[in-house]
Amino acid sequence: MKPEDYYHYSTSELARYYGLTAKGLAFYEDKGIISPRRIPGSKYREFTLVDCYHLYDSKFYSNCGFSLAETADLIQHKNLAFVQNELHQKSLQIQQEILYKERLKHHVDRIAGLMAHIEELTQQFQVVNSPSFYRLFVRHYCFPHSSTPEQSQEFARWNHDVPINVASLKYSREELLQGAPFLNVGIGNIILEEDFQRLNYSPSSRTEYLP
């Protein structure tokens, strides 16, 4: 008899150890993560040390961001190289998410700083030196917003990352210098060059680079 054969657990014991309910354990069983034995002559199930290991592994994979279906596949997979590659890819994904959160925090802090001086900035323009950025043109103020399906998808992609990219109003230098009574403002979004590259944005006919 193997040492692990000495360990047997009831549903209530295993549920208590892993913070699950009986239905939760049944769900894990349905996904193929655990394989309890039916006790003959009763409706009860008996769990082994292997089931404990699999629940432990499932918590590890879940906390890493894997779905239950992915977790079951990883636990049951016999190819170590496959599991190693999946963990490596997840590590890269987590690193990208950390980068995104860092950039998000940077821009939240920047906007909060602007809001702290909102009264000073009201009713005036400010000339500032800006890092290089990309701008997505959306529409002119006095014209309706029309776009192709591809352009709508591009606009949605940019809107997904607000406030890493922000709304932008672009005035015509010529109209400003000439004192035009009405300014046909260009509406769009802008994003810093480093964020454009780090978040894998793609240039298009509606984007312009402003160094």
Side-chain angles (χ1 to χ4, degrees):
M1 181 179 288
K2 297 178 181 179
E4 56 264 29
D5 292 334
Y6 290 103
Y7 296 90
H8 300 280
Y9 305 92
S10 67
T11 296
S12 60
E13 287 176 322
L14 210 61
R16 187 168 65 251
Y17 295 156
Y18 289 93
L20 298 168
T21 63
K23 288 185 177 179
L25 287 174
F27 182 74
Y28 277 83
E29 181 182 359
D30 182 62
K31 294 297 182 181
I33 294 174
I34 54 177
S35 303
R37 181 181 74 88
R38 266 21 184 215
I39 299 177
S42 76
K43 62 179 180 179
Y44 298 107
R45 296 169 295 172
E46 183 179 67
F47 300 87
T48 67
L49 190 59
V50 172
D51 293 316
C52 287
Y53 289 155
H54 285 181
L55 284 176
Y56 178 89
D57 289 343
S58 72
K59 178 60 68 174
F60 165 76
Y61 289 128
S62 174
N63 287 344
C64 289
F66 290 100
S67 68
L68 275 178
E70 292 169 332
T71 294
D73 189 35
L74 288 165
I75 289 175
Q76 297 164 5
H77 215 287
K78 303 301 182 183
N79 189 326
L80 183 61
F82 170 83
V83 177
Q84 182 182 14
N85 180 67
E86 290 297 301
L87 289 174
H88 176 66
Q89 294 302 318
K90 181 60 68 174
S91 175
L92 294 177
Q93 178 186 336
I94 292 171
Q95 181 59 43
Q96 188 66 21
E97 291 169 355
I98 291 172
L99 172 63
Y100 186 88
K101 292 293 186 181
E102 287 176 345
R103 297 308 298 164
L104 186 62
K105 179 182 182 303
H106 168 81
H107 289 285
V108 168
D109 289 342
R110 176 181 59 81
I111 292 171
L114 288 173
M115 294 178 69
H117 302 282
I118 192 68
E119 293 185 0
E120 304 169 21
L121 300 174
T122 303
Q123 302 298 326
Q124 62 175 307
F125 287 97
Q126 217 177 24
V127 178
V128 298
N129 291 321
S130 171
S132 301
F133 61 87
Y134 283 84
R135 184 175 189 276
L136 173 70
F137 170 76
V138 177
R139 67 181 179 92
H140 283 103
Y141 179 78
C142 61
F143 294 122
H145 186 178
S146 60
S147 60
T148 65
E150 291 76 15
Q151 290 170 340
S152 295
Q153 185 177 11
E154 180 182 38
F155 188 37
R157 165 74 171 93
W158 281 63
N159 283 335
H160 176 270
D161 292 325
V162 171
I164 293 179
N165 75 73
V166 294
S168 163
L169 299 179
K170 184 178 181 181
Y171 295 87
S172 165
R173 182 175 183 273
E174 290 72 21
E175 290 180 350
L176 286 172
L177 293 176
Q178 293 171 6
F182 179 80
L183 299 175
N184 188 14
V185 182
I187 300 173
N189 291 52
I190 59 173
I191 184 170
L192 293 178
E193 180 182 15
E194 61 177 309
D195 290 329
F196 187 93
Q197 294 173 347
R198 286 177 176 175
L199 300 181
N200 299 316
Y201 277 69
S202 299
S204 72
S205 60
R206 299 209 307 173
T207 59
E208 60 176 323
Y209 176 64
L210 299 167

